[in-house]
Amino acid sequence: MISYRQPGTVLTDHTFTVPLDHAKPGGEQIQVFAREVVAADKASDDLPWLVFFQGGPGFGSPRPAGREAWLDRALDDYRVLLLDQRGTASSSPVNRRTLGLAGLGSAQAQADYIALFRADSIVADAELIRQEVTGGKPWSILGQSFGGFCAVCYLSQAPGGLREAFITGGLPGLDVTADDVYRATYPKVARRNAEHYDRYPMDVPRAKDIARRLAAGDVRLPNGAPLTVETFQTFGQMLGASTGSHTLHYLLEEPFEGGDLSDYFLHEAGSRVSFSAGPLYALVHEACYGQGAPTNWAAQRVRAEFPEFDAALDSDAPLLFTGEMIYPWMFDNDPVLRPLAEAGEILAQREWPRLYDVERLRANEVPAAAAVYFEDMYVPVEFSVPTARTIRGLRPWVTNEYEHDGLRVSNG
C-alpha cells in the first residue's frame, strides 16, 4: 500500500487479487485497484466505509484532487473507497493489447473472457475486497449510473455485505430488455435535439454543413479513423449532461477553416468518439441490459423504428444526434475496437444470466435511497420508478432539478 496527501485528504492505493471467474476461484487471477480517501483530520478515526461504483460500464473511478464534488460531503462521515472495476483504469485492463498478451487468440476466447466483466462479477470482487478491508463488517455503497446497476445487483446477490446503499441515476429496469431501453431512449434523445436547436438555432445549418462535408467522404480523425455522418451524430451523447448542450454548441461554433474541417474540430471530435479510454464500454454496454436473450445489437435494430435519425441531408429537417448507443459499425471504424470486432459480434449473440433477484429485492432489509432524474436521457424514469417500488424500503427522490450527472454537479 502507498499513502500520500492531497489538500484536505489522505489517499492510500490498494491492489487486490481476485479470480477472473468467481465460479473457478482457484483458476486465473486478476488485479483490482482501489483508492482509499479519508479526510486529513479524520485519518486515524474508525470511520465506516463507503465504496463508490463508477458509471460506464468500462471506466475507472474518479481521480480526485482533494475534497471535490460529492466526495467532499462523503468525507464528513466515511472513509471512501474508489473502486476501479475489473478491466478498467489501474485494475487489470481489458483491451486489444492485453487480450492478445493473455494468449486469447480466438474471438471466442476473447468473448468468453470479456463476458466475465459484467455487474455480477464486479459485485463478487467487491465482496472479496470487503473481507480484506473491513474484516467482514458490512459497508456502505454509492452507485452512479451503471454503478447503480451494480448496487441493485449487490442488493440481489450479497445484501448481507451491505450496511446501506445509495444510488444516483442508476435504477435499472428489473425485467426490461435492451430493446425496451432503446425504444424509451430514442424519443428522449429526439426531444433533447429539439431543445438544443431551440436554444441554439444557429446550430441547425452548422450541423448540416458538417454532415454534408462528411458525406462527401474521406475525412480522417487524428488517429486515422474515418469521421462519418453516423460518427458525428454520436456527439449527441453529451446532450444528457447538465452542460452538454452548451458544450455541443461551442464544438459546432467554428468547425471550418480554409474551406474544410479545422484541425481543432477534428481533434475535439476524435477525443469524443474514440474508445481508447474505455474499449470495454463498447464491448459490454448492451450486455448490462442483457437479461436472458441476446441483445443482438439492439441500438442498431431499434434505430430503424425511428427514421428521423437517418441523416436526410437534402431536406429541411435538422440533423438529429444520437445518444448512449453502441453500433456495430463502431468496431469497423475505431482502431482500438477493430481487432475485437469478431468478439463483439459473439457477445452480441450471447445469452446473458439474469442480474437481479426480484424476490430478494422485494424482501430487502438494507436501508437504501435513490435519486431518480425525471429528465434522464440515459436511464429512463419509466423503468426506474417501478424498480424503486419493488425494492422494499428504498426511498426514492424523483427530481427534474438535475440531469444524469446530478451527483457530480450538485456537490453531494
Side-chain angles (χ1 to χ4, degrees), residues 306-322:
F306 299 92
E308 62 267 33
F309 284 91
D310 293 338
L313 302 183
D314 56 351
S315 75
D316 293 331
L319 178 85
L320 291 192
F321 295 96
T322 54

Side-chain angles (χ1 to χ4, degrees), residues 243-257:
T243 60
S245 175
H246 313 306
T247 303
L248 177 60
H249 168 66
Y250 292 132
L251 186 59
L252 301 181
E253 198 168 37
E254 296 291 342
F256 290 95
E257 184 176 75

Side-chain angles (χ1 to χ4, degrees), residues 271-283:
S271 68
R272 295 186 179 279
V273 303
S274 172
F275 288 91
S276 56
L280 191 57
Y281 173 81
L283 290 158

Side-chain angles (χ1 to χ4, degrees), residues 193-207:
N193 274 269
E195 291 167 2
H196 174 79
Y197 285 133
D198 283 346
R199 183 179 297 115
Y200 295 114
M202 67 287 287
D203 286 354
V204 174
R206 289 172 179 172

Side-chain angles (χ1 to χ4, degrees), residues 167-183:
I167 297 167
T168 57
L171 275 181
L174 300 178
D175 294 304
V176 303
T177 66
D179 288 43
D180 297 327
V181 170
Y182 294 118
R183 287 194 178 100

Side-chain angles (χ1 to χ4, degrees), residues 184-238:
T185 52
Y186 272 115
K188 294 178 186 293
V189 176
R191 287 196 295 273
R192 289 302 176 89
N193 274 269
E195 291 167 2
H196 174 79
Y197 285 133
D198 283 346
R199 183 179 297 115
Y200 295 114
M202 67 287 287
D203 286 354
V204 174
R206 289 172 179 172
K208 292 291 281 283
D209 286 346
I210 293 169
R212 290 189 183 102
R213 171 61 189 90
L214 299 177
D218 200 28
V219 176
R220 296 280 164 171
L221 296 169
N223 67 353
L227 180 57
T228 65
V229 175
E230 292 78 13
T231 307
F232 176 49
Q233 287 178 284
T234 67
F235 285 19
Q237 182 166 347
M238 67 181 78

